[in-house]
């Protein structure tokens, strides 16, 4: 625990509870450290913190439309680089059919998020079917390949030099936000046995950015038994039961699903909107001063965003305030005004994957052509 200088004070007219009971006509901005865990001040502004009229320079909000990227190929090593820093990289892989080789990532644990498509994963530990909405973690050093039914679109998130972990569940206990017993592992089933053969197979490995190919006169996925706890795991967002409070908009950290090396992966899954008339219904404006925020939009209506559709990704680097788009903000306000205490909660159906990185990320040239250049201006009223 860092020994920050903390001494809460109050100035002017202020609410006593974050994200609730805001002084009339003000807009709250959270100015925090350590993601949503450190020292933090809530400022009540007269104008929306996203009310800028012009941006000049590279520190700005970015949006990219991955639907505009070409198909890649049947190896993850050709996936399109999107964002990277020293401990994390995010790539986009559009693949179809059957991989004719195995791959081993010898420097990173690999997290696959299946945006579209389905198929079968074969790895050292057996066979596992996959479908849209699955997260699959492959520990570094695993040999694996995919057989896709049609085309699959996959987000690849690498944790370099350290593996994925589950977050501390604290007050809510180990069975939130999904029970670890829901994590599926590969099986040594008939599908796995059927793919064993004595043909020539190649394993393409990557370490320190360099590739090495090793040839075997048999399929090295030939395991007949195993025991242990260093395994690939799978969980679908549909098995995630998001935390929520009817009286308080929980910060994104409440949706932390996995922790990588100096980054976190959070899942925004469908949930009811807050019901308390004086609680915020859209994400609060905030400056997440220690993390860059990448959000990939998977499906549903992205309730805090205007003009964002599935398959898009946004990057909000640390250093400036961001928050809901005007239309989303207005809709939430109007819904609030009409709401009776007996009304059923409004259901929010968005599914999105957020990757918050401690160090700033670089944007790969490969996705520049898909940028929605007007995004910084999309908060204009
Ligand atoms: Fe944010």
């Amino acid at each position: 625990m860092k020994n920050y200088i903390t001494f809460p004070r109050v100035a002017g007219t202020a609410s006593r509870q974050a994200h609730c009971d805001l002084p009339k006509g003000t807009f709250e901005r959270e100015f925090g450290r350590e993601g949503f865990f450190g020292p933090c001040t809530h400022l009540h502004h007269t104008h929306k913190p996203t009310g800028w009229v012009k941006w000049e320079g590279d520190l700005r909000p970015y949006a990219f439309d991955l639907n505009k990227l070409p198909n890649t190929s049947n190896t993850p090593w050709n996936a399109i680089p999107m964002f990277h820093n020293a401990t994390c990289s995010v790539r986009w892989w559009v693949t179809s059919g059957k991989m004719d080789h195995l791959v081993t990532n010898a420097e990173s644990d690999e997290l696959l998020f299946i945006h579209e498509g389905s198929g079968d994963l074969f790895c050292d530990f057996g066979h596992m079917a996959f479908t849209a909405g699955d997260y699959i973690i492959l520990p570094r050093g695993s040999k694996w390949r995919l057989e896709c039914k049609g085309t699959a679109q996959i987000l690849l998130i690498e944790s370099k030099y350290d593996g994925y972990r589950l977050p501390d569940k604290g007050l809510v206990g180990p069975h939130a936000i999904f029970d670890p017993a829901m994590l599926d592992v590969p099986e040594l089933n008939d599908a796995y046995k059927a793919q064993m053969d004595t043909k020539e197979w190649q394993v393409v490995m990557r370490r320190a950015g360099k590739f090495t190919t090793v040839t075997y006169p048999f399929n090295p996925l030939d395991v007949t038994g195993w025991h242990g706890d260093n395994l690939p795991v799978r969980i679908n967002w549909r098995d995630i039961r998001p935390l929520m409070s009817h009286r308080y908009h929980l910060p994104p950290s409440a949706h932390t699903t996995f922790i990588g090396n100096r980054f976190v992966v959070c899942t925004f899954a469908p949930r009811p909107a807050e019901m308390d008339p004086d609680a915020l219904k859209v994400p609060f404006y905030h400056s997440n001063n220690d993390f860059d925020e990448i959000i990939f939009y998977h499906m549903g209506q992205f309730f805090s965003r205007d003009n964002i559709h599935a398959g898009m990704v946004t990057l909000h680097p640390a250093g400036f305030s961001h928050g809901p788009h005007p239309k989303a903000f207005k809709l939430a306000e109007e819904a609030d005004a009409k709401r009776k205490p007996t009304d059923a909660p409004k259901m929010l159906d968005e599914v999105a994957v957020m990757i918050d990185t401690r160090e700033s990320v670089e944007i790969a040239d490969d996705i520049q052509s898909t940028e929605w250049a007007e995004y910084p201006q999309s908060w204009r009223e």
Side-chain angles (χ1 to χ4, degrees):
M1 195 65 190
K2 294 174 189 167
N3 193 17
Y4 273 106
I5 305 165
T6 62
F7 54 109
R9 296 285 192 273
V10 181
T13 307
S15 68
R16 296 172 65 200
Q17 169 63 55
H19 324 321
C20 302
D21 309 328
L22 306 186
K24 204 169 168 42
T26 66
F27 302 94
E28 177 199 56
R29 176 169 65 108
E30 178 167 306
F31 182 77
R33 304 301 306 267
E34 304 292 328
F36 299 91
F37 293 96
C40 179
T41 299
H42 293 93
L43 302 114
H44 301 291
H45 286 273
T46 310
H47 299 100
K48 287 183 183 167
T50 51
W52 51 71
V53 291
K54 196 172 180 186
W55 282 84
E56 290 164 292
D58 287 341
L59 176 60
R60 60 179 169 88
Y62 293 86
F64 303 93
D65 188 349
L66 306 184
N67 300 297
K68 293 180 178 167
L69 288 171
N71 279 16
T72 40
S73 74
N74 75 346
T75 181
W77 300 137
N78 286 346
I80 295 173
M82 294 163 56
F83 308 105
H84 66 276
N85 65 20
T87 63
C88 174
S89 98
V90 184
R91 294 176 299 143
W92 179 246
W93 184 25
V94 182
T95 184
S96 53
K98 187 175 169 177
M99 282 172 65
D100 60 0
H101 61 287
L102 295 159
V103 290
T104 292
N105 192 329
E107 59 192 332
S108 306
D109 287 56
E110 198 90 66
L111 171 62
L112 279 59
F113 177 75
I114 313 294
H115 174 54
E116 264 190 32
S118 62
D120 299 285
L121 164 80
F122 295 94
C123 64
D124 302 278
F125 314 89
H127 162 257
M128 198 154 67
F130 68 83
T131 192
D134 279 346
Y135 284 109
I136 300 172
I137 294 176
L138 294 155
R140 81 184 49 205
S142 311
K143 291 189 283 295
W144 60 275
R145 65 184 177 87
L146 298 186
E147 289 187 11
C148 299
K149 296 181 175 86
T151 298
Q153 295 182 322
I154 301 171
L155 200 61
L156 297 170
I157 307 160
E158 284 181 66
S159 177
K160 302 181 199 174
Y161 317 117
D162 203 357
Y164 283 101
R165 288 155 281 143
L166 294 178
D168 175 17
K169 306 290 177 75
L171 287 174
V172 293
H175 305 112
I177 55 176
F178 60 81
D179 192 323
M182 292 297 293
L183 290 166
D184 298 310
V185 299
E187 291 173 26
L188 296 172
N189 55 17
D190 289 344
Y192 185 71
K193 286 175 196 150
Q195 57 90 56
M196 291 183 190
D197 61 35
T198 49
K199 293 178 195 151
E200 191 172 280
W201 278 86
Q202 292 185 321
V203 183
V204 185
M205 303 186 286
R206 194 193 71 193
R207 184 160 175 87
K210 292 181 183 155
F211 293 95
T212 300
T213 303
V214 181
T215 302
Y216 293 83
F218 56 84
N219 184 346
L221 301 187
D222 60 354
V223 170
T224 56
W226 53 256
H227 64 101
D229 57 6
N230 184 23
L231 296 166
V233 292
R234 176 191 63 195
I235 188 121
N236 193 284
W237 67 259
R238 291 169 181 84
D239 296 320
I240 292 175
R241 294 160 196 268
L243 296 180
M244 59 93 49
S245 159
H246 67 294
R247 297 199 63 203
Y248 174 73
H249 186 92
L250 294 179
S253 48
H255 309 295
T256 308
T257 314
F258 304 112
I259 297 186
N261 189 8
R262 297 182 68 74
F263 68 95
V264 296
V265 178
C266 306
T267 310
F268 301 129
R271 63 173 178 84
E274 294 75 10
M275 295 161 74
D276 186 300
D278 295 316
L280 281 181
K281 311 294 181 301
V282 280
F284 42 91
Y285 297 103
H286 61 283
S287 306
N288 189 358
N289 292 299
D290 290 313
F291 287 84
D292 277 9
E293 294 183 2
I294 298 164
I295 301 182
F296 173 74
Y297 302 89
H298 173 54
M299 63 183 284
Q301 180 69 36
F302 305 109
F303 72 100
S304 69
R305 296 264 170 270
D306 304 345
N307 302 312
I308 292 283
H309 53 256
M312 289 185 79
V313 64
T314 56
L315 166 65
H316 295 170
F320 64 87
S321 308
H322 55 259
H325 275 91
K327 203 160 77 189
F329 190 87
K330 197 157 169 268
L331 282 174
E333 270 189 334
E334 284 169 2
D336 237 9
K338 284 188 209 148
R339 195 168 194 289
K340 294 191 227 57
T342 49
D343 285 352
K346 179 182 187 285
M347 289 304 294
L348 306 170
D349 69 349
E350 81 167 1
V351 183
V353 175
M354 184 171 86
I355 303 148
D356 276 15
T357 67
R358 190 80 196 204
E359 275 78 39
S360 62
V361 291
E362 281 183 43
I363 303 167
D365 291 342
D366 307 67
I367 59 167
Q368 304 277 2
S369 64
T370 74
E371 188 181 0
W372 173 28
E374 289 73 39
Y375 185 57
Q377 299 308 326
S378 62
W379 281 266
R380 298 282 290 272
E381 303 277 346

